[in-house]
Amino acid sequence: MIASIAWRNVWRNKGRSLVVIGAMIVGIWSLAFGSGFMQSFLTGYIQSSIKHETSSGQVHHPGFQKDYDINFFIRDPKKLIDAIKSNSAVTSVTSRSIVNGMISSTRQATGVKIIGVEPATEASVTELNSLIHEGEYFEGISRNPVLIGDKLAEKLKVGVKAKVVLTFQDKEGNITAARFRVAGILKATSVSISESTVYVLKDDLNRLLQLDDNVHEIAYVTSTDADDDAIAHDLQSRFPEDKIESWRELSPILVFMEQWMASILKLLILIIMSALAFGIVNTMLMAVLERVRELGMLMALGMRRTKVFTMIMVETIYLSTVGGPVGLLVGYLTITYLGQAGIDLTDYSEGLEAIGYESILYPILQPGDYIQIVVGVILTAFLASLYPAWKAIKLKPIDALHTI
Amino acid sequence: MSTIIKATNVSKVYHRTTVPVHALNNLTLSIEEGEFTAIVGPSGCGKTTLLNILGGLDHPTSGKVEVAGTDITEMKDSDLIDFRLKNIGFVFQAYNLIPVLTALENVEFIMLLQKENKKVRHQRAMELLTQMDIADKAKNKPSQLSGGQQQRVAVARALASKPRFILADEPTANLDSSSTSNLLDLMARMNKDQKATFIFSTHDQRVMDKARRIVTLEDGTIVSDTTR
Ligand SMILES: Nc1ncnc2c1ncn2[C@@H]1O[C@H](COP(=O)(O)OP(=O)(O)O)[C@@H](O)[C@H]1O
Ligand SMILES: [Mg+2]
């Protein structure tokens, strides 16, 4: 009966209760939506970084990344590639040779990173071919094709089929220059791709570097749900001579972002929950103060303080949890709908793409996130109910009865 | 007949303001089972203070109160709550009923606190509402009842807990004269038929006339005590 009295008490002041319940729905919805949105943002960012930059994992000579010394190449790339391929989670593998050098046109010269790629496997690992804006992906040029970024093309004032010269030191330290012809121009949000990297065929570069079949970098991608850290770790233990890193190690900024997003999410939850708790406490305090005489009467009759306390707690919990499921349902429906339809951010995409973004977001929430929200709400409701309930039992029956 | 309330040398001093208020002065009073007693006197003479102390809602400054042989003077507030539930029925001047419950549920509620089972609760509540002439309003909420009807439900509730006695502080103060005499007649009938002990306060002459024993207070002291 206490539960039934509490339930009816919630509806004594319908307007006030509805405001709290409404706030609850909006709060929970915005939590669900906010975290779904942020997680898709994060996942999108990580996935686009993995796709275009780090891949799921990479292999180098342990000394290579420090100053790109071309003599630090991977000893037995074939064996490593076979080992990587034998992992069922790996979907594709490619290898590259890399040297720092200079590109010059008849008008301009600038320093670049020159990457020798295998066109077919590179396309399946990084989708480099999808960035072609003008010209062709290593085609249409018979000898020494090169792909350059759009910003770089602008700077050098060259177009497709134009001649450029790449200059670098070979394996022996001799300055080598070779003539290349622009096969295609890449357009990418990444500054590094559009301004300071050029792609040539690995065979061409290796010949010029006198590197034979050696490579500096092996990159591989895995299926989306693979444990990239474990895969890298496993490879590392089998090839101690080389350095094998997952995207998390290759790009600590992504890890930082993951943690940062998680903290922001916690903060968001904290803010929304505090606002809700404040509203609930306020409403329930009002409800208690309005009923001072009635509560005094109940205690005078012989209702124990623990019962009064429970009744007020139950009232508060009812009040706070009626909105919960509704908010959660609305949130779930919103996320599910938008998760399929996507949120089109094309209007704002210039800014987003500048930081490496996709312009359509697909919000996602894991079951765990919903549970976190539900637990948060229940905890908030519980904590928020303590103070008004405590206030209620602090009343002395006679004082309460005499309050006008 | 046995004594159910024995108040000995009870004094109550309020220190709310800078000047202490002596609400009860060395008052001694005993109430026998089955009495129908009115505590009367002008406003401010100490009626409410006395009833609160007899009902274990307040502690005397000095003196001793025994209810059914138990000294409640030094009892802890939390024990007093249980003691009241078991032994004392209350009817207040106003705000007696739980607004969200029907008349019937209000009467059942007190028995629920006493952990009475559902069937007994319902049966006894209906019986009492019938005896108090208000059974037809059993399903109504307090807000749908007149002041007199609400007080009849309150008396039914007070009786429902089978208390040793019922304290009613100015139960008719907010009622018109016909509701007042109606309520008093019903209370008198319950006193006669059910042997329920009533102690009520009033400053209304017509109410006093219905009592069998009249204890008159003046400035916190009993100035007369007559039984008819
Ligand atoms: N809580 C209180 N604090 C201070 N003085 C009080 C309090 N309650 C009653 N009094 C004083 O005690 C005296 C007796 O009051 P009360 O018992 O309410 O009288 P009655 O019920 O007969 O009108 C009055 O002078 C009143 O002002
Ligand atoms: Mg009074």
Side-chain angles (χ1 to χ4, degrees):
Chain A
M1 200 175 203
I2 300 255
S4 142
I5 295 177
W7 177 250
R8 295 186 213 179
N9 279 335
V10 169
W11 299 106
R12 273 163 88 160
N13 192 328
K14 282 205 189 68
R16 194 168 62 198
S17 295
L18 284 173
V19 166
V20 174
I21 289 166
M24 206 76 200
I25 293 172
V26 172
I28 289 176
W29 176 83
S30 51
L31 255 185
F33 181 73
S35 48
F37 189 82
M38 269 167 55
Q39 290 196 34
S40 76
F41 214 73
L42 179 68
T43 316
Y45 190 90
I46 289 176
Q47 269 165 8
S48 106
S49 292
I50 289 177
K51 190 149 109 196
H52 299 303
E53 285 164 42
T54 61
S55 305
S56 303
Q58 293 183 5
V59 185
H60 299 98
H61 182 286
F64 180 72
Q65 283 149 296
K66 218 169 108 212
D67 45 17
Y68 290 88
D69 184 330
I70 59 166
N71 287 308
F72 289 144
F73 46 77
I74 297 165
R75 295 285 146 186
D76 199 347
K78 257 207 122 48
K79 206 171 135 202
L80 242 162
I81 289 171
D82 287 342
I84 294 170
K85 273 185 183 158
S86 72
N87 188 318
S88 58
V90 172
T91 53
S92 38
V93 188
T94 191
S95 61
R96 305 165 185 143
S97 45
I98 300 168
V99 65
N100 281 325
M102 208 165 73
I103 186 168
S104 37
S105 67
T106 48
R107 314 277 291 270
Q108 280 283 344
T110 184
V112 286
K113 182 162 143 185
I114 303 160
I115 302 181
V117 300
E118 299 167 2
T121 53
E122 186 68 37
S124 64
V125 171
T126 59
E127 294 179 19
L128 183 64
N129 54 333
S130 71
L131 299 179
I132 292 289
H133 180 56
E134 271 178 69
E136 307 275 345
Y137 182 65
F138 292 113
E139 274 170 25
I141 303 290
S142 51
R143 240 175 76 83
N144 285 355
V146 62
L147 306 179
I148 65 173
D150 55 342
K151 295 269 165 53
L152 184 60
E154 227 170 85
K155 195 160 157 189
L156 298 170
K157 301 198 173 60
V158 295
V160 175
K161 301 228 149 92
K163 278 185 218 162
V164 292
V165 173
L166 295 179
T167 314
F168 44 85
Q169 289 185 325
D170 70 10
K171 204 175 150 198
E172 311 298 331
N174 303 316
I175 302 281
T176 306
R179 193 174 295 152
F180 283 75
R181 219 181 254 273
V182 177
I185 292 176
L186 307 167
K187 193 173 165 82
T189 51
S190 152
V191 178
S192 127
I193 295 174
S194 73
E195 273 178 53
S196 56
T197 308
V198 303
Y199 296 88
V200 300
L201 296 176
K202 192 180 85 184
D203 292 344
D204 292 343
L205 189 60
N206 280 21
R207 192 179 61 245
L208 293 162
L209 289 170
Q210 301 175 350
L211 209 57
D212 304 324
D213 278 339
N214 292 313
V215 294
H216 296 115
E217 188 170 276
I218 295 170
Y220 58 89
V221 286
T222 58
S223 48
T224 37
D225 51 356
D227 183 347
D228 292 328
D229 291 331
I231 292 170
H233 198 257
D234 171 58
L235 285 167
Q236 182 68 75
S237 64
R238 287 157 60 198
F239 297 91
E241 306 267 283
D242 300 297
K243 191 165 155 197
I244 297 125
E245 297 165 294
S246 75
W247 58 269
R248 280 197 180 81
E249 291 155 305
L250 289 162
S251 190
I253 182 106
L254 293 183
V255 177
F256 171 74
M257 272 191 64
E258 265 185 327
Q259 290 165 350
W260 186 67
M261 282 280 187
S263 320
I264 292 202
L265 202 60
K266 288 217 179 74
L267 192 71
L268 187 76
I269 292 178
L270 199 72
I271 291 171
I272 291 179
M273 291 297 171
S274 313
L276 284 179
F278 189 76
I280 293 166
V281 169
N282 241 332
T283 306
M284 282 312 295
L285 270 184
M286 254 197 269
V288 165
L289 293 177
E290 274 173 7
R291 274 154 55 202
V292 162
R293 269 176 310 221
E294 184 184 325
L295 295 169
M297 180 267 292
L298 290 172
M299 289 189 271
L301 289 184
M303 186 165 172
R304 284 191 189 169
R305 284 175 206 279
T306 47
K307 281 225 168 79
V308 176
F309 191 86
T310 309
M311 183 179 77
I312 301 289
M313 289 260 296
V314 172
E315 270 179 48
T316 317
I317 288 167
Y318 278 151
L319 184 68
S320 18
T321 46
V322 166
V326 180
L328 216 55
L329 184 72
V330 178
Y332 171 77
L333 293 177
T334 312
I335 298 278
T336 310
Y337 170 74
L338 290 176
Q340 260 136 47
I343 305 171
D344 194 348
L345 296 175
T346 319
D347 291 350
Y348 316 94
S349 65
E350 239 166 79
L352 286 172
E353 279 174 359
I355 54 167
Y357 246 95
E358 308 291 331
S359 51
I360 295 186
L361 283 180
Y362 299 94
I364 33 163
L365 267 192
Q366 314 295 335
D369 300 321
Y370 287 107
I371 291 171
Q372 199 175 331
I373 293 173
V374 170
V375 170
V377 170
I378 292 172
L379 211 67
T380 305
F382 181 79
L383 291 177
S385 65
L386 291 175
Y387 184 62
W390 181 78
K391 267 283 193 214
I393 60 161
K394 280 278 130 191
L395 297 170
K396 276 189 165 285
I398 41 164
D399 295 341
L401 280 167
H402 292 169
T403 308
I404 311 289
Chain B
M1 268 211 228
S2 64
T3 305
I4 40 171
I5 303 178
K6 201 164 170 223
T8 318
N9 299 329
V10 169
S11 292
K12 178 73 183 178
V13 185
Y14 289 112
H15 292 284
R16 278 275 157 90
T17 51
T18 46
V19 189
V21 177
H22 294 262
L24 296 177
N25 290 312
N26 222 24
L27 180 146
T28 297
L29 173 72
S30 37
I31 304 277
E32 304 295 314
E33 211 173 302
E35 278 188 8
F36 197 63
T37 303
I39 310 285
V40 304
S43 183
C45 70
K47 303 183 294 293
T48 298
T49 306
L50 177 62
L51 292 187
N52 283 346
I53 288 173
L54 297 183
L57 288 169
D58 204 356
H59 297 279
T61 312
S62 65
K64 185 169 148 184
V65 180
E66 281 172 85
V67 172
T70 309
D71 185 352
I72 64 165
T73 325
E74 300 296 325
M75 219 185 250
K76 279 195 308 189
D77 281 353
S78 53
D79 295 333
L80 276 171
I81 292 184
D82 290 345
F83 187 84
R84 289 197 296 266
L85 180 62
K86 265 179 87 178
N87 298 290
I88 311 172
F90 288 93
V91 177
F92 302 105
Q93 186 176 324
Y95 309 106
N96 260 302
L97 305 176
I98 303 169
V100 295
L101 299 184
T102 63
L104 179 67
E105 288 167 331
N106 263 286
V107 179
E108 281 193 49
F109 178 72
I110 193 86
M111 291 184 275
L112 179 92
L113 292 180
Q114 291 179 322
K115 305 200 164 62
E116 198 62 81
N117 78 52
K118 172 103 193 133
K119 213 176 138 216
V120 173
R121 275 182 350 228
H122 187 82
Q123 202 178 333
R124 181 159 169 79
M126 273 323 288
E127 228 169 73
L128 285 163
L129 288 174
T130 309
Q131 284 162 352
M132 290 304 290
D133 250 350
I134 189 82
D136 56 326
K137 303 281 185 196
K139 293 266 185 284
N140 289 30
K141 294 270 172 72
S143 59
Q144 298 161 322
L145 303 178
S146 72
Q149 291 170 330
Q150 287 184 31
Q151 292 305 70
R152 279 187 266 157
V153 176
V155 173
R157 181 191 57 196
L159 287 161
S161 65
K162 297 194 173 144
R164 311 298 290 259
F165 58 92
I166 293 167
L167 293 172
D169 189 14
E170 309 222 21
T172 59
N174 293 342
L175 305 184
D176 60 37
S177 58
S178 77
S179 307
T180 297
S181 67
N182 178 244
L183 184 70
L184 260 295
D185 289 342
L186 285 163
M187 281 165 62
R189 196 165 87 198
M190 295 316 252
N191 170 255
K192 200 159 150 271
D193 296 354
Q194 313 245 330
K195 304 278 171 281
T197 310
F198 281 91
I199 302 147
F200 54 93
S201 71
T202 185
H203 54 254
D204 183 338
Q205 189 57 49
R206 290 163 302 172
V207 175
M208 287 173 221
D209 293 345
K210 309 255 181 191
R212 272 189 283 120
R213 178 181 174 190
I214 299 178
V215 176
T216 311
L217 287 189
E218 223 165 84
D219 291 335
T221 321
I222 295 175
V223 291
S224 84
D225 187 347
T226 56
T227 306
R228 295 188 287 218

